[in-house]
């Protein structure tokens, strides 16, 4: 009895403390621990500058205002508010709307200000930095999407390609998970974690987000992002305590970054966490389950899928009216019954009904940028000399912590010289067959319709002669995995090129420098992972680049190119001898110099000799035979010099081969010089000094 009283008293104190903390924050910040939206969103609600009623076209503020009625419904019906009212919540909820996402993320307000918008102006129009509007929302009634199966009736080839891709699997219902034998509570990869977190059963979710490659999340039956779990109870019964975080299964943590591996890393990186309690906001109560869109036991998002999920992990209904939709909300079975499209399907790019409805179609062959062009506005970038004061040059890649976020492939491409030369996503990628291997695999093998070799012929010819990296492809070095699908500040170490790299970079250029880093914190911030303002560095031309650590020694266990090549030079993956495992950029630079310096020196000598011989040819008397032989030798040497320059790697692509080539060029030129030395030089008359 005494024990029970003590437990009850403790629980009461906990609940009271939670409510007091929540109340304190609520009083200070709209939308934090209270049923309101944030100030930016509310301003749009109160003074909308919309276009749909007058012009029939919905723009950003229409899109934000459209969501208000849904949140009014959620405030009354979503269980998180009941748990909070009863003091059965661990952490404080934050209301996240379209306004929060589009006007609050990506430094959008800084961009709005820089663009000249004045908050006091009557026509103040805040801008978004991430450009992530869906083609049509589930809140557009009637829902006019017909679904990919209808498109496939006529476009069979494209449909079959799409159907086996990961795009088709980004949203799945219970019973569509062959990788776990359709058991969403099955423990995975030897961990204690499953696809669905504690207290969340299949009957309370609309669907899952993700595939076996990286992670799983869920959308609940009120179409709210699952940023929580339930301790000692079930959400379906409204029992237990609703806890912030511990909501997302992460394969990297469960399968590779085990407690044993963490201890191994800590021997090299002393502050690397080995206990769950050391992982900070990303932590959880069980290994393999992380906190995403939340911080463990601290904050959780009450975020409708219309605010975030549907942009990239899309789904569409066939509801004819708003009333019909709201009647189904909270009923998982009814929502699924009315679902006509899931995943990144045909109409997400081609518009509702595609070409069948004419003007309704956007006519796109692709709309990759909607999900893969997430940007942050970085004020210092457009002030760089290379930007020439152009405001658009201030857009950098989206970061949540110290690594590039998922979905920044397009943002990186825009920072490259390739983009300036006209390259776009569909230049290389088949937009229908985005996954050519089995979608259940741990690695991605996209269908590529144009390879590096198609444009870079000289480099391809050089690489064909390498004896150093014979089994490697261009992308293995020039497009390394750098991006995160998570927000694992605790484990991200940009200077060590790890340990949360699961998506391929699209910067291409490798910066050969002992100190210059791809990822850098904001001005005045340290290089600790929890610093703010991380962004991709730019070279003198304003282009992004990959540093030597990321190119050569990254720890990316989900990257097939790395794993097929003995772990490359990673301290934590490499099967190579210890001397070929690199823990810092300066060491790699030193090794690269062993390749480049002989080639550069040989090239410099050849270049100077060519110039000298060509000048001597103009003034030297030679026989036709001698001059012909010299010209042949010079042409051969010049071809080699041109090949080395066009290749641009200065030995890295094939060190022995390129060293041999410049040696050959100089041998040709030495022979040419010998022939020249046997020629006659005309006397130059000079006036004698008096």
């Amino acid at each position: 009895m005494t024990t029970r009283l003590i437990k009850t008293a403790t629980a009461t104190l906990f609940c009271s403390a939670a409510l007091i903390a929540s109340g304190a924050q609520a009083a200070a910040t709209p939308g934090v621990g209270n049923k309101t939206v944030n100030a930016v969103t509310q301003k749009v609600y109160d003074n909308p500058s919309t276009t749909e009623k007058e012009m029939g076209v919905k723009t950003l503020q229409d899109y934000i205002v459209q969501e208000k009625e849904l949140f009014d419904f959620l405030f009354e019906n979503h269980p998180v508010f009941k748990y909070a009212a009863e003091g059965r919540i661990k952490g404080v909820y934050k209301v996240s709307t379209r306004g929060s996402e589009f006007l609050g993320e990506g430094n959008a307000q800084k961009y709005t200000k820089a663009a000249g918008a004045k908050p006091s102006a009557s026509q103040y129009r805040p801008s978004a930095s991430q450009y992530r509007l869906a083609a049509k929302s589930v809140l557009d009634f009637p829902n006019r999407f017909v679904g990919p199966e209808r498109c496939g009736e006529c476009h069979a080839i494209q449909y079959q390609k799409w159907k086996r891709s990961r795009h088709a699997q980004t949203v799945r219902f219970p019973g569509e998970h062959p990788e776990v034998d359709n058991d969403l509570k099955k423990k995975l990869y030897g961990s204690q974690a499953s696809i669905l977190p504690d207290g969340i059963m299949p009957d309370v979710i609309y669907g899952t987000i993700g595939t076996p490659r990286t992670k799983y999340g869920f959308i609940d039956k009120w179409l709210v992002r699952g940023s929580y779990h339930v301790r000692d109870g079930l959400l379906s019964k409204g029992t237990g305590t609703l806890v912030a975080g511990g909501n997302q299964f992460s394969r990297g943590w469960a399968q590779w970054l085990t407690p044993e591996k963490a201890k191994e890393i800590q021997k090299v990186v002393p502050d690397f966490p080995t206990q769950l309690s050391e992982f900070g906001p990303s932590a959880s109560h069980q290994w393999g389950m992380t906190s995403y869109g939340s911080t463990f036991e601290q904050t959780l998002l009450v975020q409708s899928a219309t605010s975030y999920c549907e942009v990239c992990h899309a789904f569409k209904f066939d509801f004819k009216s708003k009333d019909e939709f709201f009647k189904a909300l909270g009923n998982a079975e009814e929502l699924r019954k009315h679902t006509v499209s899931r995943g990144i399907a045909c109409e997400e790019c081609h518009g509702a009904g595609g070409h069948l409805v004419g003007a309704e179609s956007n006519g796109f062959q692709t709309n990759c940028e909607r999900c893969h062009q997430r940007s942050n506005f970085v004020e210092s970038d457009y002030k760089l000399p290379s930007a020439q004061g152009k405001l658009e040059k201030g857009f950098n890649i989206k970061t949540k912590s110290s690594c590039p976020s998922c979905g920044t492939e397009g943002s990186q491409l825009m920072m490259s010289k390739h983009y300036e030369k006209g390259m776009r996503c569909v230049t290389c990628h088949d937009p229908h067959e985005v996954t050519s291997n089995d979608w259940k695999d741990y690695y991605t093998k996209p269908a590529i319709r144009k390879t590096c070799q198609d444009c870079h012929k000289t480099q391809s010819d050089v690489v064909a002669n390498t004896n150093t990296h014979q089994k490697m492809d261009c992308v293995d070095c020039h497009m390394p995995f750098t991006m995160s699908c998570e927000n694992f500040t605790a484990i991200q170490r940009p200077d060590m090129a790890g340990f949360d790299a699961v998506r391929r970079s699209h910067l291409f250029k490798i910066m050969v420098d002992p100190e210059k880093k791809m990822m850098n914190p904001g001005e005045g911030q340290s290089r600790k992972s929890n610093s703010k303002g991380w962004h991709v560095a730019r070279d003198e031309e304003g282009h992004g680049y990959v540093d030597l650590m990321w190119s050569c020694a990254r720890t990316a266990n989900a990257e097939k190119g790395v794993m097929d090549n003995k772990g490359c030079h990673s301290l934590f993956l490499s099967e190579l001898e210890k001397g070929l495992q690199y823990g810092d950029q300066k060491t790699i630079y030193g090794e690269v110099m062993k390749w480049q310096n002989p080639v550069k020196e040989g090239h410099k000598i050849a270049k100077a000799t060519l110039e000298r011989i060509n000048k001597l040819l103009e003034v030297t008397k030679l026989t036709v035979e001698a001059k012909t032989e010299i010209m042949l030798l010079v042409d051969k040497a010049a071809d080699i010099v041109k090949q080395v320059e066009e290749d641009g790697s200065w030995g890295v692509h094939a060190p022995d081969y390129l060293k041999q080539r410049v040696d050959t060029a100089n041998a040709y030129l030495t022979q040419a010089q010998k022939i020249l030395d046997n020629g006659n030089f005309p006397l130059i008359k000079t006036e004698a000094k008096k």
Side-chain angles (χ1 to χ4, degrees):
M1 178 65 86
T2 303
T3 303
R4 185 180 296 175
L5 286 171
I6 291 171
K7 287 183 176 180
T8 302
T10 303
T12 302
L13 286 170
F14 161 73
C15 294
S16 299
L19 287 169
I20 291 169
S22 177
Q25 282 192 283
T29 310
V32 179
N34 56 78
K35 297 181 187 179
T36 57
V37 298
N38 76 338
V40 175
T41 304
Q42 190 62 51
K43 186 173 181 178
V44 175
Y45 285 176
D46 294 339
N47 300 286
S49 180
T50 54
T51 56
E52 189 172 25
K53 288 182 179 180
E54 293 78 16
M55 303 179 64
V57 178
K58 183 170 64 181
T59 58
L60 179 60
Q61 293 198 46
D62 294 281
Y63 201 79
I64 292 169
V65 173
Q66 184 187 45
E67 200 182 40
K68 181 179 184 303
E69 195 169 350
L70 174 59
F71 268 91
D72 289 340
F73 176 92
L74 293 174
F75 289 151
E76 294 302 316
N77 295 280
H78 197 277
V80 67
F81 302 108
K82 181 180 179 183
Y83 275 93
E86 295 175 358
R88 293 187 294 120
I89 185 169
K90 180 67 172 175
V92 178
Y93 66 80
K94 292 185 176 181
V95 177
S96 178
T97 65
R98 287 173 172 174
S100 306
E101 274 299 309
F102 295 109
L103 305 182
E105 294 294 316
N107 297 325
Q109 294 184 63
K110 289 183 179 180
Y111 169 65
T112 300
K113 183 179 180 181
K118 296 179 173 58
S120 59
S122 59
Q123 294 300 309
Y124 174 66
R125 298 187 66 85
S127 301
S129 292
Q130 293 191 39
Y131 312 118
R132 300 182 67 215
L133 294 178
K136 287 286 185 179
S137 170
V138 298
L139 299 179
D140 290 319
F141 302 104
N143 299 155
R144 297 189 182 279
F145 279 62
V146 298
E149 285 70 28
R150 291 289 188 182
C151 301
E153 291 172 355
C154 298
H155 302 280
I157 295 173
Q158 292 83 358
Y159 174 74
Q160 290 300 329
K161 285 184 171 185
W162 167 83
K163 194 175 179 180
R164 61 175 176 261
S165 76
R166 281 198 176 86
H167 272 178
Q169 311 296 330
T170 59
V171 179
R172 289 182 286 161
F173 295 157
E176 299 175 342
H177 297 77
E179 69 270 34
V180 290
D181 302 318
N182 289 324
D183 181 3
L184 296 179
K185 304 300 288 187
K186 181 179 181 180
K187 306 303 182 184
L188 295 173
Y189 310 113
S191 73
Q192 292 301 304
S194 57
I195 290 178
L196 292 183
D198 287 353
I200 308 298
M201 303 300 288
D203 61 339
V204 293
I205 70 165
Y206 167 69
T208 65
I209 303 294
T211 66
R213 199 180 80 78
T214 53
K215 62 183 181 182
Y216 296 98
F218 71 95
I219 298 174
D220 67 29
K221 64 182 181 180
W222 296 271
L223 298 183
V224 168
R225 181 184 187 182
S227 60
Y228 55 86
H229 70 280
V230 177
R231 183 179 296 164
D232 302 324
L234 295 172
L235 185 67
S236 57
K237 296 183 178 180
T239 56
T241 301
L242 193 141
V243 184
N247 59 302
Q248 179 172 279
F249 177 84
S250 297
R251 183 167 182 173
W253 270 29
Q255 186 174 24
W256 184 78
L257 190 59
T258 60
E260 293 72 28
K261 179 61 72 172
K263 290 175 183 176
E264 179 187 331
I265 295 171
Q266 195 185 61
K267 293 177 182 177
V268 180
V269 186
D271 65 339
F272 197 83
T274 60
Q275 305 291 326
L276 284 174
S277 59
E278 300 170 348
F279 280 84
S282 302
S284 176
H285 57 295
Q286 56 188 199
W287 207 278
M289 190 65 71
T290 62
S291 297
Y292 189 68
S294 58
T295 55
F296 185 58
E297 297 186 344
Q298 297 176 26
T299 60
L300 65 106
L301 288 182
V302 180
Q303 183 181 68
S304 169
T306 60
S307 308
Y308 186 75
C309 307
E310 77 160 348
V311 175
C312 296
H313 297 270
F315 50 91
K316 294 294 186 295
F317 301 117
D318 62 2
F319 292 115
K320 296 179 177 59
S321 69
K322 186 187 301 180
D323 290 343
E324 194 178 9
F325 168 74
F326 279 110
K327 187 177 179 180
L329 205 56
N331 185 331
E333 186 177 344
E334 192 70 12
L335 288 172
R336 293 177 199 141
K337 185 177 74 173
H338 283 275
T339 301
V340 296
S341 177
R342 284 176 290 142
I344 308 304
C346 315
E347 295 165 286
E348 296 303 327
C349 298
H350 294 285
H355 63 85
L356 299 175
V357 292
E360 285 289 316
S361 172
N362 59 29
F364 286 174
Q365 293 184 4
T366 177
N367 190 18
C368 312
E369 293 84 357
R370 194 179 102 197
C371 302
H372 296 279
Q373 194 174 297
R374 302 177 71 189
S375 303
N376 277 346
F377 181 70
V378 178
E379 291 177 288
S380 57
D381 269 22
Y382 83 87
K383 296 177 181 178
L384 293 170
S386 59
Q388 299 179 326
K390 297 176 181 176
L391 201 60
E392 69 270 21
K393 296 294 185 180
F395 286 90
N396 204 287
I397 61 105
K398 172 70 176 175
T399 57
K400 294 179 181 177
S401 44
S402 54
C403 287
S405 295
C406 67
T408 62
E409 295 90 345
S411 307
Q412 294 180 44
L413 174 63
M414 290 185 70
M415 296 178 69
S416 73
K417 185 175 287 187
H418 286 74
Y419 186 87
E420 293 178 0
K421 297 295 184 180
M423 194 170 104
R424 299 295 183 266
C425 305
V426 294
T427 304
C428 302
H429 292 277
D430 183 334
H432 299 112
E433 195 174 15
V434 296
T435 312
S436 64
N437 59 312
D438 193 322
W439 63 268
K440 296 186 291 294
D441 289 341
Y442 191 21
Y443 63 91
T444 295
K445 186 179 179 182
I448 299 295
R449 58 188 189 183
K450 184 182 278 294
T451 66
C452 308
Q453 295 89 332
D454 292 334
C455 296
H456 299 280
K457 182 70 168 58
T458 301
Q459 290 86 347
S460 178
D461 292 342
V462 170
V463 170
N465 290 278
T466 186
N467 56 6
T468 306
H469 297 108
Q470 292 176 330
K471 296 181 179 180
M472 299 192 70
D473 192 73
C474 311
V475 299
D476 292 330
C477 299
H478 285 273
M479 299 178 68
F481 274 30
T482 62
M483 288 186 282
S484 165
C485 274
E486 323 294 351
N487 187 21
F488 295 163
T489 306
I491 66 173
Q492 290 176 351
R493 297 294 189 281
D495 293 348
M496 294 290 294
F499 297 86
D500 184 22
V502 296
R503 299 177 71 139
R504 195 171 296 286
S505 62
H506 284 65
L507 296 166
F508 312 108
K509 177 181 178 178
I510 300 171
M511 177 64 75
V512 179
D513 189 277
E515 295 181 347
K516 289 182 179 179
K517 302 289 187 179
M518 175 184 72
M519 296 302 302
N520 291 282
E523 189 175 352
Q525 297 277 320
S526 74
R527 295 196 65 83
K528 291 183 177 179
S529 293
N530 60 358
S531 293
K532 305 298 183 182
W534 288 88
H535 58 280
V536 168
R538 297 178 187 266
D539 63 16
E540 292 182 354
E541 295 180 332
H543 301 131
Y545 57 81
V546 175
D547 64 44
L548 287 172
M549 269 305 285
W550 281 109
S551 179
C552 305
R554 64 194 173 279
T555 300
N557 62 293
E559 186 177 349
K560 194 172 189 297
V562 170
M563 303 311 291
D564 285 352
N565 287 282
K566 298 184 176 181
C568 294
H569 300 282
S570 166
L571 283 179
F572 310 99
L573 294 176
S574 182
E575 299 173 21
L576 303 174
E577 59 185 83
K578 288 290 184 183
L580 295 175
Q581 300 174 17
Y582 305 132
D584 65 87
Q585 192 163 310
K586 288 184 179 180
T587 302
I588 300 173
Y589 178 79
E591 294 299 312
V592 171
M593 290 300 100
K594 293 177 183 178
W595 291 342
Q596 287 193 335
N597 285 340
V599 174
K600 284 183 176 181
E601 289 169 7
H603 170 269
K604 183 179 179 181
I605 293 169
K607 192 93 168 174
T609 305
L610 273 171
E611 186 177 349
R612 184 177 70 249
I613 289 176
N614 283 324
K615 286 182 178 179
L616 288 172
L617 279 170
E618 295 175 1
V619 297
T620 306
K621 291 184 177 180
L622 297 162
T623 65
V624 173
E625 293 80 7
K627 189 169 185 176
T628 300
E629 189 173 355
I630 291 172
M631 293 297 291
L632 288 171
L633 292 167
V634 166
D635 283 349
K636 288 181 178 181
D639 285 343
I640 294 173
V641 169
K642 183 181 179 183
Q643 180 193 33
V644 171
E645 291 173 350
E646 286 184 351
D647 171 66
S649 76
W650 303 105
V652 178
H653 287 158
D656 294 339
Y657 170 72
L658 286 176
K659 174 64 167 61
Q660 184 184 58
R661 293 291 283 158
V662 294
D663 287 348
T664 301
N666 282 309
Y668 288 146
L669 295 172
T670 298
Q671 182 61 26
Q673 185 66 57
K674 286 182 179 179
I675 300 170
L676 267 172
D677 290 344
N678 292 324
N680 295 314
F681 296 89
L683 294 173
I684 300 173
K685 294 180 180 180
T686 58
E687 190 176 335
K689 293 182 179 180
K690 295 180 179 179

